[in-house]
């Protein structure tokens, strides 16, 4: 972003990362792993969550602990999407 500017960087990133996330969601829906729904908005939401998670770890005073916290949060988020939230 510092070199390309936010808009161009985001456009390039979204063209690749969001498309991959969306393809994964579509595959999961087709296989019955998760409920059908619009994949575009959800792919953008997940992408944003992962970007924020990476930034959280990057600026943390304790990156190892931050990474563990973020991983736990992402697992909970994804379990909820798969309809498995709260089954532990």
């Amino acid at each position: 972003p510092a070199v390309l500017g936010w808009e161009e960087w985001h456009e390039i990133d979204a063209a690749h990362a969001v498309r991959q996330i969306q393809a994964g969601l579509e595959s999961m829906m087709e296989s019955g792993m998760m409920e059908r729904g619009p994949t575009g908005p959800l792919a953008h939401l997940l992408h944003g969550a992962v970007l924020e998670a990476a930034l959280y770890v990057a600026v943390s005073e304790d990156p190892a602990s931050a990474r563990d916290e973020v991983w736990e949060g992402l697992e909970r988020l994804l379990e909820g999407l798969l309809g498995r939230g709260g089954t532990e």
Side-chain angles (χ1 to χ4, degrees):
V3 174
L4 298 174
W6 172 254
E7 287 183 29
E8 187 174 349
W9 172 82
H10 181 67
E11 192 175 308
I12 292 168
D13 183 55
H16 299 287
V18 174
R19 184 175 29 213
Q20 291 298 315
I21 294 169
Q22 189 170 1
L25 291 168
E26 289 169 358
S27 177
M28 291 169 65
M29 289 177 188
E30 288 173 12
S31 73
M33 287 181 67
M34 65 184 291
E35 191 175 310
R36 289 202 172 273
T39 57
L42 186 54
H44 281 275
L45 288 167
L46 290 172
H47 183 251
V50 171
L51 283 176
E52 280 298 313
L55 292 172
Y56 178 81
V57 172
V59 300
S60 173
E61 291 182 14
D62 184 357
S65 292
R67 184 192 63 232
D68 292 343
E69 292 168 349
V70 162
W71 187 253
E72 181 181 337
L74 287 172
E75 283 181 326
R76 292 179 72 160
L77 177 67
L78 295 173
E79 286 171 355
L81 288 173
L82 295 173
R84 296 193 304 230
T87 59
E88 297 180 39

